Amino acid sequence: MKTRLWLMAGVAVAVAFAYGCKPKGAQTAISGDAASKVYVAPGQHDEFYNIVSGGFNGQMSVMGLPSGRVLKILPVFSVHPENGWGFSEETKPMLNTSHGFVPWDDLHHIAISTTNAEHDARWAFGNANNTPRIARVDLTSFKTVEIIEIPNSGGNHSSPFITENTEYVVAGTRFSVPTGNDNDRDVGIDTYKDNFRGTISFISVDKDHGDMDIAFQLEAPPFNFDLARAGKKKSHGWFFFSTYNTEMAHTLLEVNASQKDKDFIMAVNWKKAEEYIAAGKGKKVPVKYAHNKWDESTHTATSTIRTEVLSLDPRELKDIVYFIPCPKSPHGTDTDPTGEYIIGSGKLAAIIPVFSFTKMLAAIEKQDFEGNIDGMPVLKYESVLHGEVAKPGLGPLHTEFDGKGFAYTSMFVSSEIVKWNIETLEVVDRVPTYYSVGHLSIPGGPTGKPHGKYMVAYNKITKDRYLPTGPELAHSAQLYDISGDKMQLLLDFPTIGEPHYAEAFPASLIKDKQVKFYKLEENNHPHVLKGINDARVERDGNKVHIYLTSIRSNFRPDNIEGIKVGDEVYFHMTNLEQDWDVPHGLAIKGANTAELLVMPGETATLKWVPDRTGVFPFYCTDFCSALHQEMQGYLRVSPAGSNTPLKFSTGIAE
Ligand code: RUQ
Ligand code: CUA
């Protein structure tokens, strides 16, 4: 009977969790004082860059804080019609996977690179949830420069999380899946407990250039891995993963994965794992995954299919993995700026447990275990616990820090943010969010050096916050001032896609390091033109290569004849400008791809297969000069097999 009641209570909380509640006394007015705090005067810059995940659009957006202004949208796991990303011949390989071209994904989390546990903001990493991948964006060009696919993974949610010197970016699988060879993977779903495995991938990041490589994969029990945080400072060398469905259910998880009172935070001693790898304890496992890299000198991406990964099985190497019991279906797990405290956020729990790294080490030392999972120790909850935050609210998800000894936890169900003291565990303030808050982001919040000052809440439900736009409303962010004792709501702003996580850092870290244009003399694209005199058209069977230059305000060549229906036409366009902020576009009628937007000094290729005869205009799509509207050309297409001679005008010899 008692179990039944518990179960029903669990379902009731689960129902509330699914819908969220509206906070009472919705706060709509902000004072004049608040308005002045977010006002960034014309011509002034924001204090912080905020890199925001786009969720289901597979992009990142770049916003300024405190203004909330959108500065740029970055295609990451997506095509981008604005500039031909994913449509140009050079960029297509970036979206290649072992499943072929996958121009979409679901990007949840941002990780900004760090040195000594502080943002250095050289790169932004993002995860593809659906077809598991990790991307690296260069923050001097704001371009996706590398994507690595993650094998033996499904639902790459616990990802990307980063160690304090960006030694590794880590990717944990949400769904456990059957791993191994093609034959091993064809198994009954009801053999879940026996045949399914979790994996955690440790992706090394080159210190100087950022290049990624899967250093090793750690095998794990068939739980669901939700989120993670690296240890830092005193806990550097460790990683913490939240798990749910430790019931190992494979059907109706809503009920079946909420049976147990506690799931686990999985603590991984990755320094130890590194030792085992160095000692040759890893096994090479056959897999298939794509590794795509952008080259800033050839302005071209290449995609390589890799076929092996090094796997480490902690069941045989017992001092790598420990389990900390954590109530109940934890979502986020976060480590405080000192690295001492590990916070678990049980979605269905009535308290927030805070664990102590020091106590964890002592418990391991004393073998203070309450059991094991496949031989890996389960530590005693009480032995590792620093304490519990009592009555924080409903549905805790994520925690960020201000660097002044306070933690801020988002409460999805009760739509509020709760501020509490990390040492005393006392709740000191709470504010409503509009509505159903997911992640929080404080500049520097996940690092060893939070900047405090502002906090942004990313809310799942918008309802009445903005002018309505049909059935779909923009997701909503809210900016709070956290410099005082009380959190103060400053600003509401709509976002792009569905932001999950975001990270913000001082603009001063990168604003003077931006690439302004690409030097023509360093352009090693095989089809680059270094000046207008090289502009030409060449036929090679049914392929026609148009070597095109653009400079204010003309294309060379501009008129082209002798193209035939069914030809494959390649426009190789080099933008000859050597000045900041002067891209030129290229669009041709009937193109089934996109336009190109070519940066100064860059070369890009648009493929076009004319399907009918006629004269087709092409033009520049970016209003680049007073004579932008004059920046145009014509291309004549004759019937297949006709003998219209190939000719083009460059205005040079004529
Ligand atoms: S999640 S709302 Cu995809 Cu990071 Cu927690
Ligand atoms: Cu070039 Cu408009």
Side-chain angles (χ1 to χ4, degrees):
M1 187 62 196
K2 205 168 176 191
T3 5
R4 215 162 135 228
L5 275 177
W6 268 110
L7 186 62
M8 282 166 62
V11 170
V13 177
V15 168
F17 186 76
Y19 297 105
C21 321
K22 202 166 166 169
K24 298 203 177 71
Q27 180 187 350
T28 48
I30 59 171
S31 64
D33 161 46
S36 71
K37 285 181 184 162
V38 300
Y39 182 65
V40 178
Q44 299 297 302
H45 290 166
D46 277 293
E47 184 180 354
F48 297 99
Y49 279 101
N50 187 26
I51 313 289
V52 188
S53 76
F56 40 55
N57 69 15
Q59 304 171 330
M60 293 182 190
S61 51
V62 183
M63 290 179 155
L65 291 181
S67 74
R69 298 186 289 202
V70 177
L71 306 172
K72 199 169 178 58
I73 306 293
L74 312 178
V76 181
F77 305 107
S78 75
V79 295
H80 201 42
E82 175 182 311
N83 61 7
W85 188 265
F87 296 103
S88 70
E89 296 307 297
E90 289 81 358
T91 53
K92 281 178 190 167
M94 286 306 285
L95 297 168
N96 190 41
T97 71
S98 64
H99 302 273
F101 186 67
V102 181
W104 167 87
D105 223 298
D106 184 15
L107 195 164
H108 282 215
H109 305 121
I110 304 289
I112 301 294
S113 58
T114 50
T115 301
N116 297 327
E118 288 179 28
H119 278 152
D120 60 31
R122 296 193 290 165
W123 307 296
F125 298 87
N127 65 322
N129 231 326
N130 185 52
T131 302
R133 286 171 280 179
I134 299 284
R136 179 169 59 91
V137 171
D138 186 319
L139 292 178
T140 64
S141 60
F142 283 82
K143 188 184 278 177
T144 305
V145 291
E146 191 174 10
I147 291 183
I148 195 162
E149 192 181 352
I150 315 294
N152 293 327
S153 173
N156 177 36
H157 193 262
S158 186
S159 157
F161 293 94
I162 202 166
T163 55
E164 74 171 30
N165 296 299
T166 316
E167 293 95 336
Y168 295 103
V169 167
V170 161
T173 187
R174 169 175 159 204
F175 306 111
S176 285
V177 288
T179 57
N181 286 316
D182 289 1
N183 292 338
D184 304 336
R185 295 196 306 265
D186 178 20
V187 298
I189 296 165
D190 58 359
T191 67
Y192 185 93
K193 283 185 192 164
D194 298 324
N195 289 327
F196 288 47
R197 300 291 290 154
T199 57
I200 308 287
S201 303
F202 282 78
I203 298 155
S204 59
V205 179
D206 179 81
K207 258 216 284 323
D208 301 314
H209 302 105
D211 302 75
M212 299 188 287
D213 199 10
I214 303 181
F216 60 93
Q217 276 192 329
L218 193 70
E219 279 200 49
F223 301 161
N224 288 47
F225 295 86
D226 212 4
L227 287 141
R229 278 295 179 201
K232 52 177 89 87
K233 296 179 182 168
K234 63 162 62 162
S235 52
H236 179 56
W238 287 79
F239 229 110
F240 305 95
F241 296 86
S242 57
T243 69
Y244 64 103
N245 190 25
T246 55
E247 293 84 352
M248 297 180 273
H250 60 275
T251 177
L252 293 176
L253 262 61
E254 183 185 15
V255 174
N256 292 333
S258 309
Q259 303 293 312
K260 297 210 304 197
D261 243 17
K262 292 192 177 69
D263 294 283
F264 300 109
I265 288 174
M266 184 170 93
V268 175
N269 184 341
W270 61 261
K271 287 270 186 196
K272 199 80 204 171
E274 270 184 338
E275 285 171 24
Y276 283 124
I277 290 289
K281 300 282 186 197
K283 282 194 203 86
K284 287 185 178 161
V285 182
V287 288
K288 208 172 148 192
Y289 67 96
H291 187 188
N292 312 330
K293 277 190 183 179
W294 181 259
D295 182 332
E296 286 281 38
S297 135
T298 59
H299 301 282
T300 302
T302 47
S303 177
T304 316
I305 296 289
R306 317 267 305 256
T307 55
E308 218 172 52
V309 80
L310 206 54
S311 166
L312 203 59
D313 190 344
R315 287 176 295 190
E316 294 155 15
L317 308 162
K318 297 199 162 83
D319 42 0
I320 303 179
V321 173
Y322 300 87
F323 291 96
I324 305 171
C326 181
K328 180 176 186 179
S329 302
H331 184 56
T333 179
D334 293 283
T335 53
D336 86 310
T338 66
E340 167 63 11
Y341 298 114
I342 305 139
I343 290 113
S345 292
K347 303 184 292 271
L348 306 179
I351 49 104
I352 301 173
V354 180
F355 301 101
S356 150
F357 179 71
T358 310
K359 286 189 174 178
M360 182 192 88
L361 288 187
I364 291 172
E365 182 73 37
K366 283 187 296 197
Q367 305 213 338
D368 202 354
F369 305 148
E370 63 173 44
N372 72 80
I373 293 163
D374 294 337
M376 295 172 281
V378 177
L379 300 164
K380 282 200 192 113
Y381 179 72
E382 289 75 18
S383 310
V384 186
L385 192 71
H386 162 62
E388 296 173 342
V389 181
K391 299 209 176 114
L394 293 176
L397 292 187
H398 298 284
T399 301
E400 290 263 307
F401 307 91
D402 62 5
K404 292 186 283 190
F406 296 100
Y408 301 74
T409 302
S410 57
M411 297 288 166
F412 178 84
V413 177
S414 50
S415 282
E416 60 186 333
I417 299 167
V418 172
K419 175 179 176 180
W420 48 277
N421 182 305
I422 307 173
E423 278 297 331
T424 67
L425 305 170
E426 245 179 307
V427 172
V428 295
D429 191 22
R430 57 178 74 231
V431 284
T433 61
Y434 311 100
Y435 307 90
S436 302
V437 56
H439 278 273
L440 299 173
S441 169
I442 291 174
T447 71
K449 191 189 168 194
H451 300 281
K453 201 160 177 177
Y454 300 112
M455 170 174 66
V456 184
Y458 291 96
N459 306 321
K460 298 298 178 190
I461 294 169
T462 304
K463 285 184 187 150
D464 51 2
R465 297 306 282 186
Y466 310 110
L467 287 174
T469 52
E472 197 202 1
L473 305 171
H475 281 247
S476 185
Q478 267 140 7
L479 179 79
Y480 295 83
D481 177 353
I482 56 164
S483 57
D485 291 342
K486 295 272 166 205
M487 297 174 271
Q488 183 193 12
L489 178 61
L490 298 177
L491 186 70
D492 258 17
F493 54 94
T495 57
I496 313 287
E498 186 197 351
H500 288 253
Y501 191 46
E503 283 197 26
F505 53 84
S508 57
L509 282 177
I510 62 165
K511 77 175 190 178
D512 299 325
K513 296 182 186 159
Q514 295 303 301
V515 173
K516 296 191 167 152
F517 58 87
Y518 297 99
K519 291 197 183 114
L520 256 187
E521 69 262 28
E522 292 171 6
N523 180 331
N524 292 317
H525 191 291
H527 299 305
V528 64
L529 299 184
K530 302 271 168 148
I532 55 173
N533 294 330
D534 302 324
R536 65 191 186 277
V537 182
E538 287 173 2
R539 175 178 283 282
D540 172 15
N542 75 331
K543 292 190 170 59
V544 178
H545 295 276
I546 300 172
Y547 295 89
L548 189 74
T549 61
S550 62
I551 192 158
R552 281 163 288 181
S553 302
N554 61 68
F555 289 113
R556 292 173 203 241
D558 61 351
N559 289 339
I560 302 160
E561 298 192 10
I563 309 291
K564 293 165 201 167
V565 171
D567 278 347
E568 278 178 19
V569 179
Y570 295 89
F571 292 89
H572 305 291
M573 178 165 126
T574 301
N575 178 347
L576 297 177
E577 306 280 355
Q578 292 288 274
D579 200 359
W580 194 19
D581 199 19
V582 201
H584 291 289
L586 174 69
I588 181 145
K589 185 183 169 187
N592 299 114
T593 49
E595 62 175 321
L596 292 181
L597 195 64
V598 184
M599 297 306 125
E602 189 187 38
T603 303
T605 302
L606 182 82
K607 180 181 171 185
W608 177 63
V609 181
D611 66 340
R612 64 193 72 174
T613 60
V615 172
F616 294 77
F618 59 91
Y619 71 100
C620 170
T621 49
D622 188 303
F623 207 108
C624 51
S625 66
L627 296 175
H628 154 79
Q629 288 295 80
E630 281 72 8
M631 199 167 168
Q632 64 169 55
Y634 286 112
L635 195 147
R636 174 180 166 197
V637 178
S638 303
S642 73
N643 34 22
T644 313
L646 191 66
K647 74 177 195 197
F648 50 91
S649 55
T650 59
I652 299 164
E654 289 151 327

